[in-house]
Amino acid sequence: MSSRKNRDIRGFFKSAGPSTSQAPAQTQRASSPPPTSSLSSVPDIFSSPKTPPKSTPRVFSRDDVIKGSDDSDDDDSDDSLGSITGALGYRSGPAAHRRDPNILSTPQAKRIASGVHRSPLTLQPKRHKFDLKALINHSKEIDRTEESFRRADAAIAQTEHNSDLSDDSDAENELKRPEDATRHLFAAEEDSDGKGDKIRRAFKRSKDDEASSRKHCYFFDQEDGPSSPGKNTFPRKKATGRWKFLSQADARRRAFTMGLPYAFAVQGETLPDELFQWVLDEICVEQNGELRRQYINLAEVCEDHTKRLVDNVRLYALLERIGGPKYARDHSKFQGTTEVRHEYLERNWSPLITFLQLLERIATSLQPTAAICAVQLLLRMSMDPVVGAVVREYHMRTMTTLVSSLARSKSRWNTACKAICSYIYENIDDLELKVTSILSIPSSSSHLVDLRRRIAAESLFNNPWLGSKPIDPHLSFEMIRDRLDEDDFKSTNKVDFDFEHLRALTTLLDIVIDRADFMRASTSKSNSSTSTPTPTPPTKHATPNSKATNFPPSEGEDDAAAAAEQKFNAEVDILAARVKAIHDRIRDKASRKNVKLSLLGLEKRLKYAVRSRPPPKREIFAFEGATGGESDINVPKQRDFMRQWRMKKAEKQEDKEEDDDLPEPAEIRRSRRRSPAKKLQVAV
């Protein structure tokens, strides 16, 4: 140990001999494999494994042997030698080759490709479809609204109860009750956005509309639906002969479903009267739709039974079985009401529809008195708002068929119109109900329009004799003008004025005027009486081999027709101006909008539908003092002037073209070239 410490350090830096220098090289070559190319360094994975090489014995150097055999502690050695060798850059030998530990692993590119694909778009955070806070607030708002409505109903019910108990309540307190009831609808925290004021104004508007609501008259007396009527006993004793198969209930049901009775009746088999009456009674109460259709088909074929057995009493009896009014020879006056029956809306309307279908199918076979009674029933039914809305289509078809059957004979038509008009005039006092019944009559044919006008004329002029004959010969422009000047057409803005009555009068006036043919007839008669008649050539009877000769109208006839048309349009303009004046006197208010719309519609119809041509447009370049007649007189003069000016301009153009076509002489061309320009004096 002491000998090692006393060694000269300079001997460490001496070059080693060949033995010492070759030993580490051999050791390094033995411990490390020979260097190869990069391709040869990668082992062949798919080839069979090679035999591992034999290990070579390690050769130790002299220093290693001395170091290993030294018993001294390494801690006592000088530590400064390592730093000096590092500073001098001395290396004991070449660095050992390190093998890549990931040489057999999957390449990085494959690992990335086999991973999860990521979208280039930014990931959106997951949101709920509905905002929970908004849903909760919405639910709370609904609860508060329902609670407010409950309080409103309770307040109104309480005020009605108090009004029934108090006998000394005046009109002013009654007007203030709805307003008082709406004061407690909302609490202070609920009325932050002004909903209380909106509901109070809505109550006031509804109160005004309720005061001016239309009246109606219910057709069925019972509020609840009628009790299901029991079926009549089938007359088995009368089912004899060919109709014996109807005696058994099951066989009868199958036979009617298959249409056997209808087929026998078509072939000419006579149905017993008792069986026909049983079929009539079962039509409106039968629950099976197929059986109802077969019953109606059988009743339509039995025309003789319909004429003999179906009368006024029988029609009312059919309606009475489904809750309709009873037959009365002297009808009482119908009273209008504004009451709304909520239970009335839940009725079963299929029996009434079946009755209307039956009436439509047997209308042509009814006696005139029965047909007139059927029309009166339909008019009575039309005053019911629910019935008019639910069975409107069937009601119109049945009315059209009944009126067409009554209009086959002219004498019978006048009698029927008189009976129908008298029924409306005598049994209905309220003008609104009359208008409702008249409007239920369609205007699809001339006879329907005639019936509408007759009923309207009786109600408008309060004359019960206008319905017995056509009304055009009895109407005139003066009658309509005088009717517009009466007090009931003079609207006032007072509270007690009935604007619904004025609306009904306007509707009646519109129906009566129609196309104003009565005014055309009066103007043509007056013009024909004043003008001198012109002789017309005798006409010959047309034969198949002869040609009809049409003579052009003379100048006198043209002038008379133009004068009649001008007079007719002037009268229509007068009526339109009267209607417009009535419309302008009414102030704008929600409760008066219906009457203003009716008046405005009548005015527009008179101007653009009744008038022979639209009213002339106002000329913006006319003189202030000039009237329409003066402008019409000046128009022909202006047209003649423009025509003459156009003709003169055309003649000048033709003369110029002719001059251009002529050849120009040579002397004129030379003089034009030599002539100097004239000196013009310009005044500045």
Side-chain angles (χ1 to χ4, degrees), residues 391-406:
V391 298
R392 176 66 176 171
E393 181 181 358
Y394 304 97
H395 186 277
M396 293 176 63
R397 291 207 304 258
T398 307
M399 178 69 73
T400 304
T401 308
L402 288 170
V403 171
S404 300
S405 64
L406 289 173

Side-chain angles (χ1 to χ4, degrees), residues 18-256:
S19 60
T20 59
S21 62
Q22 293 178 358
Q26 293 177 359
T27 305
Q28 181 68 24
R29 284 194 298 267
S31 62
S32 62
T36 58
S37 62
S38 61
L39 296 175
S40 62
S41 63
V42 180
D44 192 358
I45 301 174
F46 300 98
S47 62
S48 59
K50 295 181 179 181
T51 306
K54 297 181 180 180
S55 60
T56 57
R58 183 178 179 182
V59 180
F60 297 94
S61 61
R62 179 174 177 273
D63 296 334
D64 295 334
V65 173
I66 295 172
K67 184 179 179 180
S69 61
D70 193 2
D71 297 331
S72 62
D73 191 4
D74 293 339
D75 296 338
D76 299 334
S77 63
D78 194 357
D79 295 334
S80 62
L81 295 178
S83 60
I84 294 174
T85 57
L88 296 177
Y90 177 80
R91 297 181 180 178
S92 61
H97 176 73
R98 295 184 179 181
R99 192 175 182 180
D100 189 4
N102 299 326
I103 192 172
L104 300 179
S105 62
T106 306
Q108 187 69 14
K110 291 184 179 181
R111 183 170 296 176
I112 294 174
S114 62
V116 180
H117 295 280
R118 295 181 180 181
S119 174
L121 302 178
T122 57
L123 297 178
Q124 300 292 337
K126 185 176 180 181
R127 297 180 179 178
H128 295 285
K129 191 174 182 180
F130 299 101
D131 191 359
L132 297 181
K133 293 182 179 180
L135 292 176
I136 293 173
N137 295 334
H138 186 64
S139 178
K140 292 180 180 179
E141 185 70 20
I142 293 175
D143 295 339
R144 285 195 296 268
T145 305
E146 293 178 354
E147 182 64 25
S148 300
F149 277 112
R150 284 194 293 268
R151 285 200 295 267
D153 294 338
I156 294 174
Q158 183 65 26
T159 54
E160 292 179 355
H161 179 69
N162 296 337
S163 63
D164 295 338
L165 296 179
S166 60
D167 298 335
D168 54 349
S169 61
D170 53 350
E172 296 181 358
N173 293 333
E174 291 180 0
L175 293 176
K176 294 180 180 179
R177 277 173 186 167
E179 300 176 0
D180 296 339
T182 55
R183 292 177 182 175
H184 307 287
L185 292 181
F186 289 91
E189 64 274 6
E190 296 179 0
D191 200 11
S192 58
D193 53 352
K195 290 185 178 179
D197 295 336
K198 294 180 181 179
I199 290 187
R200 293 185 192 98
R201 290 194 298 268
F203 264 102
K204 186 177 181 182
R205 288 195 301 268
S206 63
K207 172 184 165 298
D208 295 339
D209 295 340
E210 183 181 358
S212 60
S213 60
R214 299 180 182 179
K215 296 181 181 179
H216 52 267
C217 182
Y218 289 104
F219 182 72
F220 295 100
D221 296 334
Q222 300 178 1
E223 296 184 1
D224 299 332
S227 58
S228 57
K231 294 186 177 182
N232 294 339
T233 305
F234 183 79
R236 296 183 178 180
K237 296 181 179 180
K238 300 297 179 180
T240 58
R242 193 69 179 270
W243 308 98
K244 190 175 182 179
F245 65 93
L246 298 176
S247 58
Q248 299 296 329
D250 296 339
R252 180 171 63 251
R253 190 178 185 86
R254 289 193 299 268
F256 273 108

Side-chain angles (χ1 to χ4, degrees), residues 425 431 434-435 438 452-464 466 471 475 479-480 483-484 486 488-489 501-513 518:
Y425 184 81
L431 202 62
K434 289 183 180 181
V435 170
I438 294 173
R452 284 163 55 102
R453 296 185 66 201
R454 293 190 187 196
I455 301 174
E458 280 192 356
S459 303
L460 180 63
F461 296 101
N462 199 17
N463 188 353
L466 290 176
I471 62 173
L475 293 178
M479 290 181 62
I480 303 297
R483 187 67 181 88
L484 285 172
E486 294 185 8
D488 49 1
F489 273 99
H501 185 78
L502 179 59
R503 184 191 62 83
L505 287 174
T506 305
T507 306
L508 293 177
L509 181 63
D510 192 3
I511 295 173
V512 169
I513 292 176
F518 59 93

Side-chain angles (χ1 to χ4, degrees), residues 216-220 284 315-316 318-320 322-325 334 344 349 351-357 359 373-396 398-399 402 423-424 428 433 436-441:
H216 52 267
C217 182
Y218 289 104
F219 182 72
F220 295 100
C284 296
L315 291 176
Y316 274 92
L318 293 177
L319 286 174
E320 188 178 355
I322 59 176
F334 303 119
Y344 194 77
W349 302 105
L352 182 60
I353 295 176
T354 305
F355 172 78
L356 294 176
Q357 293 175 347
L359 201 58
C373 179
V375 174
Q376 294 174 355
L377 264 177
L378 294 180
L379 293 176
R380 166 70 178 85
M381 192 184 301
S382 65
M383 292 184 291
D384 191 329
V386 181
V387 174
V390 174
V391 298
R392 176 66 176 171
E393 181 181 358
Y394 304 97
H395 186 277
M396 293 176 63
T398 307
M399 178 69 73
L402 288 170
Y423 177 82
I424 299 296
I428 304 177
L433 296 180
T436 304
S437 61
I438 294 173
L439 292 178
S440 67
I441 304 175

Side-chain angles (χ1 to χ4, degrees), residues 628-643:
E630 295 178 0
S631 61
D632 294 341
I633 294 173
N634 295 328
V635 166
K637 297 180 181 179
Q638 296 174 2
R639 289 177 180 174
D640 294 339
F641 174 78
M642 293 300 298
R643 189 183 301 108

